[in-house]
Amino acid sequence: MIAGERPIPELPQDAPAPPRRVDLVIDIQQRMAQGKGPAYARWAKVYNLKQMAAALQYLREQELADYAALEASTETAVDRFHKLAGELRDTEAALSKTARLMEATVDYAKTRPVFDGYKAARYSKKYLAQHEAELAAYRAAKAAMNEILDGAKLPKIDTLKKSRRELAEKKKALYAEYRQAQADMREAVAVKANIDHLLGVTDGRENKAQER
């Protein structure tokens, strides 16, 4: 599927996306039917010519000599975008898991002495009443650790810190690639759609190509 409907991860928007050189051509007849006037039609014709020229320039720059090469290049751009989106999701999930495990480990270490005191007091109701919040935090931290580790051995805190740092750096690097891949994919898809429009490629042909 060229356009792609797969979900993408929620990511920070601190950096602007690379600018697009090619937009989709405008269907003048459809827009005119919606009440656009002659001035719009004149502007749209010029716009369409500029976008077609930009699409042809793109083909020259990418050295795409025929339609098959354009199709393959577009699908490659789409696949790369979705691959990076998947890597970002996996990295974000691993980073979140590591951060949660670190938080639970710290809470467990802080509250374990209180639980040990509770055991030493033979689980007395008086001790429980005096330390109910700490004991609740202990139980929650222990449950979170068991869920996250799922039987695995608890890493040392220094190892967790290193892992969190490396995952954060990986996420940052992947995000930069992701934004560029997104821009590349959008441009490639727009170029192909414009060339399809120019060649009169039908929806049926597009659908068959996408189903392969």
Side-chain angles (χ1 to χ4, degrees), residues 66-105:
D66 53 39
Y67 189 82
L70 173 61
E71 276 190 312
S73 177
T74 302
E75 292 199 13
T76 296
V78 172
D79 289 344
R80 180 171 182 266
F81 167 73
H82 286 301
K83 179 177 180 292
L84 286 168
E87 289 183 26
L88 267 173
R89 281 193 297 270
D90 293 343
T91 301
E92 176 63 31
L95 181 58
S96 176
K97 179 179 177 180
T98 301
R100 289 190 296 116
L101 182 56
M102 285 183 64
E103 182 180 1
T105 302

Side-chain angles (χ1 to χ4, degrees), residues 160-175:
L160 289 174
K161 288 180 179 178
K162 180 181 178 183
S163 178
R164 183 177 64 176
R165 182 173 63 254
E166 290 175 347
L167 286 168
E169 291 173 353
K170 181 180 180 181
K171 178 185 174 182
K172 183 178 180 180
L174 279 172
Y175 181 61

Side-chain angles (χ1 to χ4, degrees), residues 138-152:
Y138 168 83
R139 286 191 288 270
K142 186 177 181 181
M145 290 168 60
N146 289 338
E147 177 192 352
I148 296 168
L149 290 170
D150 193 25

Side-chain angles (χ1 to χ4, degrees), residues 153-195:
K153 183 179 179 180
L154 175 65
K156 294 182 179 180
I157 193 67
D158 287 344
T159 301
L160 289 174
K161 288 180 179 178
K162 180 181 178 183
S163 178
R164 183 177 64 176
R165 182 173 63 254
E166 290 175 347
L167 286 168
E169 291 173 353
K170 181 180 180 181
K171 178 185 174 182
K172 183 178 180 180
L174 279 172
Y175 181 61
E177 286 189 67
Y178 165 87
R179 291 301 295 271
Q180 184 60 56
Q182 184 182 55
D184 292 344
M185 177 192 69
R186 287 174 174 172
E187 185 170 42
V189 169
V191 167
K192 183 179 180 300
N194 289 350
I195 297 300

